[in-house]
Amino acid sequence: MNMAKAVPSIDVKTYPGAPEYLRDLAAGRLDAALNDRLMLAYLTKNSNLPLRPSPNVGEGNPSVISFKKGNPKFAKAISDTMTQLEADGTFMKISDKWFGIDVIKPAK
């Protein structure tokens, strides 16, 4: 956002949340909106607004699961479960249901 603010011809606006800026975008009061890949995929799939995500801007950051340190059994259980969900196709089904995209593939 700081880069955009440095360009005189770009008017940067902030909003309290995604629903507000997506409504303004759909209504033509904005030219573009920026958010992370998963949030925009979910919101555009579920908002019933005439919007679609664009190609990615900049380098993508992977999503992670955070949890308290010091429990290697828990970390292994999470890792094993994620591997199993990907291998049996469950993760893809969840991805398609909620985001409409394959969230397993890295952003391009």
Side-chain angles (χ1 to χ4, degrees):
M1 186 158 71
N2 290 335
M3 246 178 16
K5 286 182 178 181
V7 179
S9 61
I10 296 177
D11 181 21
V12 176
K13 295 181 179 183
T14 58
Y15 286 79
E20 294 85 0
Y21 73 71
L22 289 175
R23 281 193 295 269
D24 275 3
L25 184 61
R29 292 185 288 271
L30 295 175
D31 295 319
L34 183 65
N35 204 323
D36 70 74
R37 174 175 85 113
L38 296 182
M39 176 63 79
L40 284 178
Y42 174 81
L43 291 169
T44 55
K45 182 178 187 307
N46 296 290
S47 71
N48 296 320
L49 294 172
L51 302 171
R52 64 175 176 77
S54 71
N56 292 320
V57 176
E59 291 185 32
N61 293 317
S63 296
V64 298
I65 298 173
S66 299
F67 48 88
K68 189 176 177 179
K69 285 196 240 179
N71 192 341
K73 286 182 183 179
F74 185 71
K76 182 173 178 357
I78 293 289
S79 179
D80 290 349
T81 300
M82 296 302 286
T83 299
Q84 178 184 354
L85 291 173
E86 187 173 351
D88 71 11
T90 301
F91 201 30
M92 186 59 215
K93 290 176 190 171
I94 294 168
S95 173
D96 188 51
K97 176 182 178 179
W98 292 102
F99 301 103
I101 62 170
D102 184 352
V103 301
I104 298 168
K105 291 181 182 175
K108 290 183 181 180

